[in-house]
Amino acid sequence: MTTLASDVSVQVRRFEVRPSELAGDPVAARVVREAKSALGVEIDSARTAKCYIVEAALTQEQADRVLQDLLVDPVLEVGVEGGAASAEATVEVWPLPGVMDPAAQTVRTAIAELLGVEPGSIEVTTGIRYDFIGVSTDDLRSVATQLLSNPVIEHVEYSVWTPTELAHPAPVDQSVRTVDFAGMNDERLMQLSKDGHLFLNLEEMRAIRDHFAKLGRAATDIELETIAQTWSEHCVHKTLKAQVRYTEAKSATPVIDFAKIPGCTVHSDGSVRIDNLLKRTVAAATFELIEDGLDWTLSIFVDNSGVIRFDDETAVCMKVETHNRPSAIEPYGGAATGIGGCIRDIIGTGLAAKPIANTDVFCVANPEQESLPPGVLHPRRILTRVVDGVRDYGNRMGIPTVNGAVHFDDRYIGNPLVFAGCIGILPIGLEKGDPQLGDLIVALGGRTGKDGIHGATFSSGELTDTHADEFSHAVQIGNAIEEKRVLDAILRARDAEERPLYSAITDCGAGGFSSAVGEMGEKIGASVDLEQAPLKYTGLRYDEVWISESQERMVLAVPQANLSALQTICDEEHVEFAVLGTFGHADTDGNPELILRWEGSEVGRLSMPFLHDGVPMPTREAVWGEPQSSKAAEQQSGQSSSVEERLLARLADPNTASKRWIVQQYDHEVQGGTVAKPLVGIHADGPGDGAVIQPARSSRQGLAIANGLSLSAGNDAPDSDPYRMAIEGIDECVRNLVCVGADPSRIAILDNFCWPSCDDARNMAALVRACVGCYNGAKAYRTPFVSGKDSLNNQFRYTDQQGNEHLIEIPYTLLISGMGIVPDIAKAMTSDAKPVAGSKLLIVRGEGDLLEAGPRTAHLVAEFIANHPVLAAHDASEGGVLTAAAEMLIGGHDVALTWETHLEAFAEHPTTYLLQIPADLESVALAHFKGIAHSAGTFKVGETGLDAERFSVSDDDLRRAFFGTLDW
């Protein structure tokens, strides 16, 4: 490898690459279309160009080679050096200095390889140019700012931009900054927490002050940052682990018998004390099930994801994360790094699992919103960009996205929820790992930059209308190709010998090295030399290096003897590799310590017991009263009168309508293991209940993946109760899994709580009731929780133009995700009605108490599917049984249904399944489901739609309603 020619001066060159006339310009066409649909702006025509600014000492011959041999596809593109002639109006969008630019990284490396020079002698930034004809100046700026760019990460130019030089960070002061807590009163403590973006409460700030008073010294900046990351709600889940004093108003419905829940103490005044809410409810259910004979969980609540046995040789694992705050201010980067981080959770499970499937669930405000609070992106833009982010990351890594959902509610206007999930596979025996004394701390993957600083603490606080400005540094931009290289290197290192080349592995996510090294070294301590971390650019302070959440990084504990073999693998996979220090350090009393150094000088020293166990856990107050006003009841009066109108309205409702426009952007067949896909039917456009994949080619078993989300039960039903919401969420998840062929006795589930602030006693009480619902639901269905995550303080505060303050709290949101074993993939089931004339529609609805009826019905349905030639199965949720039957017809095509049931058509009753069965199986089915099955109608072939004595709806009307609302 050489350097560029010394006799050529460094200069900035601009290259533009446009689609050829033959290729057309689909990006420009999309902009024109979205400008009209989202902003009402008419544009006569548009063109786009990819732009590259390259700063290097290139000869003209070398510059020509870069353009023609590297940047331009000669079949589909044309390129020029410099800027092409300007159109009537031009907009260019470029990343801000310091923002991750994956395309620029790739171009820089490719130029270096093409010319045989060092990458460090080249700087690149990439942008996109839009040329417009037929748009006013005001409309141009509206399109540029509301559709094409995000000021959090990008700058906009309204002409051809060619800087004289690219921005280079200036050297920074690396002197250690200290905070002397001596004499600090409560007011000063809280001001420090706010100014430092620590997001710590008064009790926590007092604990830190007292700790350093005992040490007799001031705290360094990096020590405070480390404590703030480790004690953040995002990392330690201190609300769910808190002690709770729960009381109920006398008028509240007495649904819960707390005396039956171990760890809950009921006092004579009726109040309940719960010692560690999470431990006594969600986790307790799983451990009690294990004690009761459930033996197929392998690793739960102690690693990056939950692991269960798949077969005698293989385990599967699953994790679902949220990435809400970053997605609120930069949807594309927030969602992309959300799924990227969850994929890394799977890679960092045990001694490394291989990611085999992704899921996503989005909760956003209605995309037809016209007025918005200040500081809020439009929900249409949020939804399209979070979809783009998950799509690009999963597709580029070669991981199928197979399951998900979208829910609309205007209370998500300032705080959208982005749930990203991943499923992995690993050999049994590799589900646990622990660092050993003397192991090297090795960082693999992407370099460290300023992106993601304060991400963990930012994600733990309330959003306001100023956060897009205050926390732009918390936004991260992912690089899926980098993560794919990291994955390949780690799987090779895992399988290189009889045992992996490393003792333990974790992802470098929230809190950066601070959390990764801090958690791995909790029991044995660690010593870190921060200057060894590879940086994206100069200009980072040592504390920024430590807490940055830059993406695509993993941390390994590597025995010294294995370092050379790991280095060889990383070199071959083009993965950067750095040794940051060693695991194993203790104070004179034998307590593990964390030692942080910068260029040989100690900048931080923390006690691991204080760091991990010192966070105060005060008792939280929880007060539950009568149910609040019901949105569902308020909307009841506006319902259409006829069955036809009500059915079409339900199918057109954004929460029911087709999400085909989203699903078709995902590659759900890569890796070749997807058996039941998210879209079903002969034309692959019907809604599936869940997905089935084949994780191990040596086994005929499959793995079913599905979700449950019952928001109305906890927020908007006339008797709304988060306790019931949790149980109904579990029931819906189980039903979706059973409907694709899963065995209900082999289902594992995960919880994701997204809640408004639990400083509000009612919100805290709602969280308690949901957790108890999880406990009772998991015990009743015998579905162990194996992992989970919470995201609290999901609310948006802003001040209007009149100076009035407003607070928008999200609805209580509990996502239940599940995976279940399908005994035989040949019997995997789909929801689309099959063209079998005379076949029957059977509705199976459990009767009685949900905790008894739900599990019993699930087992009856699963047993019937396993032993009889069932044609289709579908669960009834949003819209009730008639809406579910219409969905089966939409997936079926050329199939009609004579509707005969006496059941209320639109009632949303849990425990409800729809089965299509051959006509000669009807009597057998009615006997099998004695007392809970209802004959609902007969399928016809060669006709379409739904008809009965009272109503008739054509297939065209069904499809127009179902696909029309959000099929963008």
Side-chain angles (χ1 to χ4, degrees):
M1 189 72 70
T2 62
T3 59
L4 289 168
S6 59
D7 58 342
V8 178
S9 61
V10 174
Q11 59 182 303
V12 173
R13 295 176 183 268
R14 175 188 170 107
F15 303 100
E16 286 187 1
V17 179
R18 294 184 179 274
S20 66
E21 293 295 331
L22 174 67
D25 196 336
V27 174
R30 177 181 176 179
V31 171
V32 171
R33 184 173 64 251
E34 291 186 354
K36 181 177 181 180
S37 62
L39 305 176
V41 173
E42 298 274 2
I43 298 174
D44 291 345
S45 65
R47 297 175 63 205
T48 65
K50 292 179 287 187
C51 302
Y52 305 87
I53 302 292
V54 179
E55 184 179 73
L58 300 179
T59 66
Q60 188 58 51
E61 179 184 359
Q62 289 173 324
D64 292 341
R65 286 189 64 196
V66 168
L67 177 63
Q68 299 302 330
D69 296 349
L70 179 63
L71 301 180
V72 174
D73 180 336
V75 176
L76 301 175
E77 296 172 325
V78 294
V80 297
E81 182 176 350
S86 180
E88 180 181 299
T90 295
V91 171
E92 293 191 354
V93 180
W94 298 87
L96 290 169
V99 170
M100 176 70 171
D101 188 347
Q105 281 191 351
T106 301
V107 169
R108 183 175 64 176
T109 302
I111 291 175
E113 292 181 355
L114 177 70
L115 303 181
V117 301
E118 292 285 351
S121 60
I122 304 166
E123 293 294 334
V124 180
T125 187
T126 67
I128 185 166
R129 173 177 173 173
Y130 303 89
D131 290 326
F132 298 108
I133 294 176
V135 60
S136 69
T137 300
D138 289 343
D139 284 345
L140 180 72
R141 292 189 176 272
S142 177
V143 169
T145 57
Q146 297 184 50
L147 192 64
L148 303 180
S149 67
N150 186 336
V152 173
I153 59 168
E154 294 161 328
H155 66 95
V156 175
E157 304 292 335
Y158 292 94
S159 61
V160 174
W161 183 66
T162 305
T164 56
E165 65 176 353
L166 293 180
H168 298 277
V172 295
D173 178 9
Q174 297 287 0
S175 59
V176 178
R177 298 172 297 198
T178 60
V179 175
D180 189 352
F181 285 98
M184 267 198 192
N185 60 22
D186 291 350
E187 182 179 354
R188 288 182 61 194
L189 286 174
M190 291 311 297
Q191 192 64 45
L192 173 62
S193 177
K194 179 181 178 181
D195 292 345
H197 295 153
L198 304 179
F199 286 94
L200 297 175
N201 63 34
L202 180 58
E203 291 299 320
E204 292 157 354
M205 292 300 294
R206 286 172 175 170
I208 295 170
R209 178 191 63 190
D210 296 345
H211 175 73
F212 284 98
K214 289 180 181 179
L215 296 178
R217 67 175 177 87
T220 68
D221 49 3
I222 198 169
E223 290 171 337
L224 278 182
E225 292 282 13
T226 303
I227 295 169
Q229 307 302 315
T230 308
W231 288 11
S232 68
E233 187 73 65
H234 184 89
C235 292
V236 79
H237 317 296
K238 52 198 174 189
T239 298
L240 274 166
K241 293 180 179 178
Q243 294 182 350
V244 182
R245 181 178 181 271
Y246 172 88
T247 58
E248 284 183 356
K250 291 183 179 180
S251 57
T253 306
V255 176
I256 302 174
D257 187 352
F258 284 94
K260 293 184 178 180
I261 301 174
C264 296
T265 303
V266 181
H267 297 289
S268 58
D269 63 355
S271 66
V272 180
R273 184 178 180 86
I274 306 171
D275 177 19
N276 192 322
L277 179 60
L278 181 67
K279 180 179 179 181
R280 300 303 182 186
T281 55
V282 176
T286 296
F287 290 117
E288 290 172 23
L289 287 170
I290 292 172
E291 291 176 3
D292 193 34
L294 188 149
D295 61 357
W296 40 267
T297 59
L298 299 178
S299 178
I300 53 173
F301 304 124
V302 295
D303 206 344
N304 289 317
S305 68
V307 186
I308 66 171
R309 182 182 299 275
F310 179 72
D311 58 24
D312 291 341
E313 299 178 351
T314 308
V316 289
C317 54
M318 186 174 185
K319 182 64 175 287
V320 180
E321 286 270 13
T322 57
H323 228 224
N324 305 337
R325 309 300 200 284
S327 300
I329 63 175
E330 209 305 283
Y332 180 85
T337 54
I339 191 65
C342 199
I343 292 168
R344 288 197 309 278
D345 277 330
I346 294 300
I347 300 171
T349 293
L351 290 172
K354 177 186 177 183
I356 55 174
N358 289 337
T359 71
D360 60 12
V361 174
F362 306 127
C363 296
V364 298
N366 193 302
E368 304 306 321
Q369 288 282 338
E370 294 184 1
S371 62
L372 301 174
V376 169
L377 295 176
H378 197 283
R380 177 183 285 260
R381 181 174 181 184
I382 288 176
L383 181 56
T384 55
R385 293 301 282 162
V386 295
V387 169
D388 290 348
V390 171
R391 175 201 66 207
D392 287 353
Y393 212 100
N395 289 0
R396 289 168 183 169
M397 280 202 72
I399 303 171
T401 301
V402 298
N403 185 72
V406 180
H407 187 84
F408 297 97
D409 190 301
D410 286 346
R411 288 167 289 184
Y412 296 117
I413 186 66
N415 214 128
L417 305 184
V418 174
F419 300 92
C422 189
I423 298 89
I425 183 170
L426 71 163
I428 285 181
L430 298 185
E431 62 271 13
K432 296 179 181 178
D434 289 300
Q436 304 299 306
L437 291 172
D439 280 353
L440 300 174
I441 302 171
V442 175
L444 296 186
R447 292 189 163 211
T448 300
K450 286 180 177 287
D451 43 319
I453 290 175
H454 290 132
T457 51
F458 167 56
S459 295
S460 301
E462 171 186 276
L463 273 176
T464 71
D465 54 358
T466 64
H467 270 163
D469 299 321
E470 288 184 67
F471 289 96
S472 60
H473 56 267
V475 172
Q476 307 157 64
I477 305 298
N479 186 346
I481 304 304
E482 180 75 47
E483 188 153 319
K484 180 61 166 66
R485 288 197 293 259
V486 171
L487 169 61
D488 291 346
I490 287 173
L491 291 180
R492 282 186 60 189
R494 185 194 73 180
D495 301 332
E497 299 177 3
E498 289 186 8
R499 294 289 295 175
L501 296 177
Y502 46 87
S503 308
I505 181 173
T506 194
D507 77 302
C508 202
F513 292 135
S514 166
S515 294
V517 177
E519 290 172 7
M520 292 178 76
E522 177 182 358
K523 303 301 182 185
I524 62 174
S527 177
V528 183
D529 296 297
L530 291 165
E531 74 278 2
Q532 298 300 320
L535 304 181
K536 294 177 182 176
Y537 36 76
T538 60
L540 269 71
R541 280 181 51 84
Y542 61 84
D543 54 321
E544 294 175 323
V545 173
W546 180 235
I547 67 170
S548 168
E549 298 179 16
S550 292
Q551 296 291 294
E552 290 79 48
R553 300 177 303 163
M554 303 293 294
V555 175
L556 286 69
V558 182
Q560 177 72 49
N562 294 344
L563 188 64
S564 176
L566 181 61
Q567 177 78 68
T568 299
I569 290 173
C570 289
D571 289 346
E572 292 173 353
E573 296 293 343
H574 303 284
V575 172
E576 195 156 11
F577 172 110
V579 177
L580 304 184
T582 57
F583 286 108
H585 188 90
D587 63 17
T588 54
D589 295 324
N591 298 312
E593 278 191 318
L594 174 64
I595 309 297
L596 303 173
R597 288 186 295 269
W598 177 260
E599 295 182 343
S601 299
E602 185 176 301
V603 293
R605 179 183 291 259
L606 285 169
S607 159
M608 285 295 197
F610 175 72
L611 184 61
H612 292 283
D613 303 320
V615 57
M617 290 291 188
T619 299
R620 285 186 169 270
E621 294 294 326
V623 181
W624 185 250
E626 296 180 2
Q628 295 181 329
S629 62
S630 164
K631 189 172 78 170
E634 292 168 2
Q635 293 176 342
Q636 196 77 20
S637 60
Q639 288 184 341
S640 303
S641 57
S642 73
V643 174
E644 294 95 330
E645 289 175 328
R646 290 182 64 185
L647 174 59
L648 296 177
R650 289 312 303 251
L651 288 173
D653 185 287
N655 285 319
T656 310
S658 172
K659 310 304 183 295
R660 177 178 66 178
W661 71 273
I662 296 176
V663 178
Q664 288 183 338
Q665 297 183 57
Y666 301 145
D667 186 339
H668 46 263
E669 299 191 45
V670 64
Q671 298 192 21
T674 310
V675 177
K677 302 175 179 64
L679 294 175
V680 299
I682 190 169
H683 294 298
D685 58 3
D689 290 296
V692 178
I693 60 175
Q694 185 182 12
R697 299 298 185 268
S698 59
S699 173
R700 294 292 297 171
Q701 284 191 161
L703 187 72
I705 303 158
N707 304 108
L709 186 65
S710 183
L711 289 179
S712 63
N715 296 276
D716 303 318
D719 55 348
S720 61
D721 187 343
Y723 171 77
R724 189 162 59 87
M725 176 180 72
I727 299 172
E728 289 193 12
I730 294 172
D731 176 71
E732 184 183 15
C733 181
V734 169
R735 279 185 286 140
N736 282 327
L737 291 167
V738 167
C739 282
V740 295
D743 176 358
S745 66
R746 288 291 308 277
I747 289 175
I749 57 176
L750 298 82
D751 63 272
N752 281 94
F753 292 90
C754 285
W755 236 248
S757 172
C758 289
D759 291 339
D760 182 298
R762 179 181 173 83
N763 291 342
M764 187 68 211
L767 184 63
V768 170
R769 295 183 73 82
C771 286
V772 175
C774 286
Y775 173 85
N776 285 338
K779 290 289 295 294
Y781 286 82
R782 294 187 63 81
T783 50
F785 283 101
V786 295
S787 182
K789 192 73 173 177
D790 63 272
S791 174
L792 308 182
N793 297 309
N794 284 283
Q795 53 194 40
F796 182 77
R797 192 180 300 273
Y798 70 96
T799 303
D800 63 23
Q801 293 180 342
Q802 288 73 41
N804 301 312
E805 188 173 86
H806 300 266
L807 178 67
I808 304 175
E809 295 184 332
I810 69 162
Y812 305 136
T813 306
L814 172 58
L815 174 68
I816 302 293
S817 303
M819 53 180 173
I821 305 299
V822 178
D824 184 353
I825 56 173
K827 294 186 177 181
M829 189 64 53
T830 59
S831 65
D832 52 303
K834 309 303 186 295
V836 178
S839 57
K840 297 293 184 178
L841 176 65
L842 202 69
I843 298 175
V844 181
R845 173 178 291 176
E847 302 291 344
D849 178 69
L850 176 56
L851 289 173
E852 296 179 0
R856 182 175 66 248
T857 307
H859 281 272
L860 284 172
V861 171
E863 180 184 347
F864 193 77
I865 289 175
N867 295 311
H868 297 90
V870 175
L871 300 171
H874 192 29
D875 91 304
S877 51
E878 289 89 357
V881 291
L882 182 56
T883 305
E887 290 174 343
M888 296 177 76
L889 296 177
I890 289 168
H893 288 271
D894 204 36
V895 178
L897 176 66
T898 301
W899 185 254
E900 300 164 358
T901 184
H902 66 281
L903 295 177
E904 208 288 317
F906 300 103
E908 297 179 359
H909 193 288
T911 78
T912 304
Y913 301 78
L914 277 68
L915 303 178
Q916 182 190 10
I917 60 174
D920 59 4
L921 206 59
E922 184 175 13
S923 60
V924 175
L926 291 173
H928 180 83
F929 298 109
K930 186 176 181 180
I932 61 170
H934 310 267
S935 181
T938 304
F939 288 96
K940 301 177 290 182
V941 178
E943 303 178 44
T944 57
L946 235 161
D947 65 77
E949 290 183 4
R950 296 178 293 114
F951 66 94
S952 179
V953 184
S954 72
D955 183 65
D956 286 344
D957 287 342
L958 293 178
R959 296 181 64 79
R960 190 177 299 111
F962 188 66
F963 292 115
T965 305
L966 284 176
D967 206 17
W968 299 344

